[in-house]
Amino acid sequence: MHKYTIHVQAFTAQAAHLASVSVPSSSYEDPAVDDAQAPTRVTVYTPTGTSAALRIAQRHLNLIHARIAYTNPGTITRTAADIVYAKARARAESLTPGQRKDESYHDLHSEDDALRMEALTDVMHERDELDT
């Protein structure tokens, strides 16, 4: 397992500026940024190499950007991913708790599906509907 620290500029992972260290598999953590409003570094864990680390980092940055665009409209320029997240979030909020739970079992087939699932999970988390 490797822990990658990747520099960020304007919510974009910078391939030229990354560092990695080998860590035990038990050290795994979810991706994290140094500043949720204006990240300059993202940290990811993966056993599969630099390309995977960059994909994971960018996916995480896209999610953070989408959440900011949703919760603070007008503060940043919206992207296509932000729109996907906002539509999925609005849809998730319109469902009943049982419908949200059913939706949470769907498979992910694309990056958009991953954003939709994150939106659903955010709504379920806010409404304390997640199973522990």
Side-chain angles (χ1 to χ4, degrees):
M1 174 76 64
H2 284 84
K3 173 184 173 183
Y4 290 86
T5 302
I6 303 164
H7 288 266
V8 175
Q9 184 175 4
F11 284 93
T12 302
Q14 303 296 303
H17 303 286
L18 62 91
S20 73
V21 294
S22 185
V23 296
S25 295
S26 60
S27 298
Y28 175 84
E29 294 179 23
D30 289 333
V33 293
D34 60 337
D35 180 346
Q37 297 299 311
T40 60
R41 283 186 319 278
V42 61
T43 302
V44 299
Y45 294 77
T46 181
T48 55
T50 303
S51 294
L54 288 167
R55 280 192 307 277
I56 294 165
Q58 193 58 55
R59 186 178 310 128
H60 187 65
L61 291 167
N62 289 346
L63 174 61
I64 290 171
H65 194 279
R67 284 176 174 157
I68 292 170
Y70 183 81
T71 57
N72 298 309
T75 58
I76 55 178
T77 303
R78 289 179 66 178
T79 65
D82 299 343
I83 294 167
V84 168
Y85 178 87
K87 286 181 178 180
R89 179 78 188 243
R91 181 179 182 285
E93 289 173 347
S94 73
L95 299 173
T96 67
Q99 290 170 320
R100 281 191 287 273
K101 186 173 182 175
D102 290 346
E103 286 271 319
S104 71
Y105 296 123
H106 289 187
D107 290 336
L108 303 179
H109 300 287
S110 69
E111 291 295 321
D112 286 354
D113 287 347
L115 279 169
R116 289 182 189 103
M117 188 60 69
E118 290 290 349
L120 178 67
T121 302
D122 288 349
V123 170
M124 292 176 76
H125 183 267
E126 288 174 4
R127 297 175 184 205
D128 201 26
E129 296 172 353
L130 293 176
D131 295 335
T132 54

